[in-house]
Amino acid sequence: NACEHASAIRFAMQDRPGLSIGIAVGSSTQIALFVVPFTVVMGWFLDQPMDLVFGAMNMSVMILSVLVALVMVIDGRSNWLKGFMLCTAYLFEAVLYWSMPDE
């Protein structure tokens, strides 16, 4: 994944946003569709309690991330406001998880 992200950044710097966004979204989709279910199945084999039941806050963060990504890729163009939205969403999620009480 690190190589994919590095190439996405390289293509973005070369003013090829379509390819860059395709790499970044494809990598995230790959993780979501393969790695997460794979860890659940491995948890069953290792007798570890893993499931795909996420809490309300985790689902809210997931929905926020999907909406921000949708706004980024819907028209294929970029400007300062979209970059600000990405940074703000990242900061919001970081503060949210930092201040989340331990369970």
Side-chain angles (χ1 to χ4, degrees):
N1 275 341
C3 293
E4 289 178 346
H5 291 299
S7 63
I9 291 170
R10 189 181 81 225
F11 288 129
M13 290 173 59
Q14 293 175 354
D15 200 25
R16 296 173 70 185
L19 185 57
S20 178
I21 290 171
I23 290 171
V25 172
S27 176
S28 300
T29 304
Q30 184 180 36
I31 294 294
L33 293 178
F34 176 69
V35 174
V36 175
F38 179 74
T39 58
V40 171
V41 171
M42 288 307 295
W44 290 341
F45 287 123
L46 299 174
D47 199 29
Q48 292 291 321
M50 293 184 173
D51 54 14
L52 293 176
V53 178
F54 300 111
M57 190 189 74
N58 290 332
M59 287 305 297
S60 300
V61 168
M62 182 87 65
I63 291 169
L64 173 70
S65 300
V66 168
L67 290 176
V68 169
L70 177 68
V71 168
M72 296 300 124
V73 300
I74 197 102
D75 63 354
R77 293 183 296 156
S78 178
N79 57 29
W80 67 271
L81 182 60
K82 289 184 179 182
F84 180 73
M85 284 175 53
L86 285 172
C87 292
T88 304
Y90 183 75
L91 181 67
F92 175 73
E93 292 173 8
V95 168
L96 189 64
Y97 279 113
W98 181 265
S99 64
M100 186 173 80
D102 294 332
E103 294 181 33

